[in-house]
Amino acid sequence: MPLIKYSYFPNAFIDPDSGKKKFIFRPLLPIAMRYKNRSASFIQALLDSGADNNLFPASYGESIGINIKKGKLVEHVGIGDASLLAYEHKIHVIIGNYSFPTVIHFSFSQTIPLLGRKGFFFYFHFVKFDEKQHIIELKY
Amino acid sequence: MKHISLHQLITFQNKWVALSKDRKKILLAGNTIEETQEKLKKENIKDAILTYIPSTGKYISPVCR
């Protein structure tokens, strides 16, 4: 079974109390999409084991010609009272040498791309987060 | 392991940046995905990776901006 391996990606974090600057490492993976023979640039998406579905910024989908508002309207809820509307589309996701057809929800209110369980984790035998070494492993 | 500096990550917070293929360098930045993609096209860079650099003083949770 092939294995895809990436290191976590560093972001900066400034502690609001101490003002100390430090790295915060997040499980961000470079993926690309294909839709009707058009391919989008690679983009980093956050592996989110708490998300049911994939959720991406609408502008990324538009960059490969997806008419976002033609998709089925869906609603996402997350933290607190927040909810947002998104549009469902069938596309191909590419990660490393692996490509598979899946569903992405695109929203005009979402900035950080999220990879969720149903539309992403489902396509792998396992997804391993190594929080000590900052490594993600995906076996398919 | 060498990676992007804290200084750069703070400088580019709330921006979309294009990373080198090995994700160790910031090539250019824009305020939106479209602007960043336009700049890449202009520079004829084809193998960059787009990423959003979040604000440095906030935690990330799903479905929030």
Side-chain angles (χ1 to χ4, degrees):
Chain A
M1 284 188 288
L3 183 73
I4 296 170
K5 204 170 170 178
Y6 282 102
S7 55
Y8 282 28
F9 186 77
N11 285 157
F13 188 76
I14 300 177
D15 189 289
D17 298 322
S18 67
K20 204 175 164 189
K21 297 167 192 167
K22 60 181 183 179
F23 285 111
I24 181 167
F25 290 87
R26 295 184 166 124
L28 286 153
L29 286 183
I31 64 120
M33 287 183 196
R34 201 172 62 242
Y35 177 75
K36 291 183 179 172
N37 295 326
R38 285 184 69 179
S39 296
S41 326
F42 272 85
I43 190 168
Q44 289 210 118
L46 185 70
L47 260 184
D48 185 355
S49 62
D52 290 334
N53 285 290
N54 303 316
L55 182 64
F56 273 63
S59 56
Y60 183 68
E62 286 175 330
S63 75
I64 43 170
I66 300 173
N67 186 342
I68 300 297
K69 288 189 175 175
K70 278 203 165 176
K72 181 182 154 194
L73 187 64
V74 293
E75 187 175 6
H76 282 246
V77 292
I79 56 163
D81 296 329
S83 76
L84 60 74
L85 297 176
Y87 299 87
E88 187 174 296
H89 289 272
K90 287 178 185 166
I91 54 100
H92 267 79
V93 160
I94 302 153
I95 174 167
N97 293 320
Y98 185 34
S99 167
F100 53 88
T102 188
V103 165
I104 302 272
H105 295 168
F106 292 98
S107 175
F108 292 94
S109 305
Q110 180 69 11
T111 303
I112 298 171
L114 302 176
L115 295 169
R117 291 189 348 272
K118 194 176 167 190
F120 188 81
F121 286 63
F122 173 81
Y123 293 91
F124 295 89
H125 288 289
F126 73 68
V127 178
K128 181 178 157 190
F129 296 79
D130 185 335
E131 287 292 318
K132 299 285 182 201
Q133 301 297 321
H134 298 153
I135 300 284
I136 307 152
E137 288 182 0
L138 307 105
K139 196 166 257 190
Y140 63 95
Chain B
M1 191 182 68
K2 197 185 161 200
H3 48 67
I4 296 164
S5 70
L6 264 180
H7 173 73
Q8 276 193 303
L9 291 165
I10 292 167
T11 303
F12 291 110
Q13 62 178 306
N14 302 315
K15 300 261 187 203
W16 281 92
V17 301
L19 303 170
S20 57
K21 206 176 169 185
D22 63 5
R23 304 191 298 164
K24 289 180 181 174
K25 273 188 218 157
I26 291 176
L27 305 175
L28 52 83
N31 289 312
T32 61
I33 289 179
E34 301 93 309
E35 189 186 323
T36 313
Q37 282 175 324
E38 268 308 306
K39 287 182 179 179
L40 284 170
K41 209 173 163 185
K42 233 176 180 173
E43 299 284 330
N44 200 25
I45 301 170
K46 288 176 180 161
D47 55 357
I49 300 167
L50 299 172
T51 198
Y52 181 72
I53 304 293
S55 173
T56 55
K58 294 176 185 170
Y59 295 102
I60 293 179
S61 293
V63 195
C64 67
R65 300 175 75 182

